[in-house]
Amino acid sequence: MEEMNTNMIIKEIEEFAKKSTKEFDSGHDWWHLQRVRNLALFLQQAENSGNRFIIELSALLHDIDDKKFRKHGSIGAETIIRELLHQNGVAEDIIKEVIQINKYISFSSDAKIEIRSPEFLIVQDADRLDAIGAIGIARAFNYGGFRNNWIYVPAEDGFGITPSTIGHFYDKLLLIRDMMNTATGRKMAEERHLFLEIFLEQFYKEWNIIPRNPLKGS
Ligand code: ADP
Ligand code: NI
């Protein structure tokens, strides 16, 4: 009976989450939520830590009212989540936890972390894993395109000042490996981090083609 009930709630929240991502870029779409949910549930099992129901709800709702896509006059994530979960009969202590995770999960709010619950640590790891590796690269260039940023700005043109997606690797993506919370997450981040390095190496190799073959003269 209890099991049945949580499944039904998850189904409802899933529908809500699907609708909520309609205006986001495709790196922040439903499939991001689906991947984060699957990664988080995988980490829960591997670490044998945290409550699966809270983790699943929090993964599905972690990007609600993301500041990058926030609509003018939004009532705010806390109210949205509270009303939604309340309507679905979720207990108050669980609602509080889901709200906290939504609030503190973001890379940029890391300094202000107030909670370190196992559920928080796992959902944050899952969200971070989806920002690195092949998927992370795809998402970064998709977001950069969405914002009309440069792909890359070479050093002499102000690399690090002008926003570029390659610049974002140094601002954020390459830092993620050392920020992981769980042992399983750290291990998975290792492989994905290596892939970022391989990608960058190949990228610079292709970018820095020498236009003339010096051995052949001009
Ligand atoms: P978080 O929600 O953890 O704070 P973000 O919302 O900043 O993370 O990032 C979500 C996704 O968007 C990530 O895949 C990230 O790499 C990408 N992204 C965010 N900012 C940029 C940027 N300036 N250039 C390219 N990709 C970006
Ligand atoms: Ni996310």
Side-chain angles (χ1 to χ4, degrees):
M1 195 63 201
E2 180 67 9
E3 182 72 7
M4 181 69 185
N5 193 20
T6 60
N7 282 344
M8 275 162 51
I9 295 171
I10 293 288
K11 204 88 208 119
E12 290 290 323
I13 305 313
E14 200 180 299
E15 286 312 311
F16 180 88
K18 269 184 192 158
K19 277 187 264 158
S20 77
T21 56
K22 284 264 157 66
E23 289 149 39
F24 292 4
D25 77 303
S26 76
H28 288 85
D29 61 4
W30 160 248
W31 297 108
H32 167 61
L33 300 180
Q34 177 75 314
R35 288 189 304 268
V36 171
R37 165 212 230 166
N38 289 336
L39 276 166
L41 290 173
F42 177 87
L43 291 173
Q44 187 282 329
Q45 200 161 38
E47 296 281 312
N48 193 20
S49 161
N51 174 292
R52 282 181 82 78
F53 182 55
I54 297 178
I55 286 174
E56 196 164 8
L57 285 181
S58 302
L60 287 170
L61 297 174
H62 83 273
D63 270 342
I64 290 288
D65 206 40
D66 187 297
K67 61 181 180 309
K68 288 188 297 313
F69 304 99
R70 186 168 295 155
K71 278 203 239 101
H72 191 69
S74 162
I75 55 170
E78 179 161 352
T79 310
I80 298 169
I81 293 172
R82 181 174 302 283
E83 282 176 6
L84 173 72
L85 295 184
H86 190 76
Q87 274 165 19
N88 282 279
V90 176
E92 184 58 28
D93 55 331
I94 295 184
I95 296 181
K96 280 207 178 105
E97 181 71 27
V98 176
I99 288 171
Q100 290 277 313
I101 293 176
N102 169 284
K103 188 167 173 192
Y104 291 108
I105 193 167
S106 157
F107 180 87
S108 40
S109 70
D110 202 46
K112 299 174 270 187
I113 281 184
E114 285 174 8
I115 52 163
R116 307 285 298 169
S117 69
E119 291 83 9
F120 173 79
L121 298 177
I122 281 176
V123 178
Q124 189 177 50
D125 268 11
D127 194 32
R128 284 175 171 167
L129 283 170
D130 207 53
I132 54 177
I135 298 266
I137 294 172
R139 291 180 69 215
F141 282 100
N142 187 77
Y143 183 84
F146 182 72
R147 290 278 176 232
N148 204 16
N149 291 343
W150 300 101
I151 289 176
Y152 171 51
V153 180
E156 63 269 28
D157 273 352
F159 174 66
I161 302 163
T162 313
S164 79
T165 302
I166 292 290
H168 181 68
F169 279 59
Y170 298 91
D171 292 342
K172 174 175 170 184
L173 305 189
L174 291 167
L175 311 180
I176 287 178
R177 176 185 59 177
D178 296 327
M179 297 170 66
M180 298 301 290
N181 302 314
T182 67
T184 312
R186 212 168 299 127
K187 207 167 145 205
M188 291 172 79
E190 198 62 53
E191 184 193 10
R192 294 176 185 221
H193 182 90
L194 198 64
F195 195 78
L196 296 181
E197 291 183 338
I198 293 167
F199 173 83
L200 286 173
E201 197 178 321
Q202 179 71 17
F203 185 92
Y204 294 128
K205 190 169 146 193
E206 293 176 15
W207 188 282
N208 293 312
I209 281 289
I210 298 166
R212 283 177 294 135
N213 183 340
L215 297 178
K216 283 197 163 170
S218 51

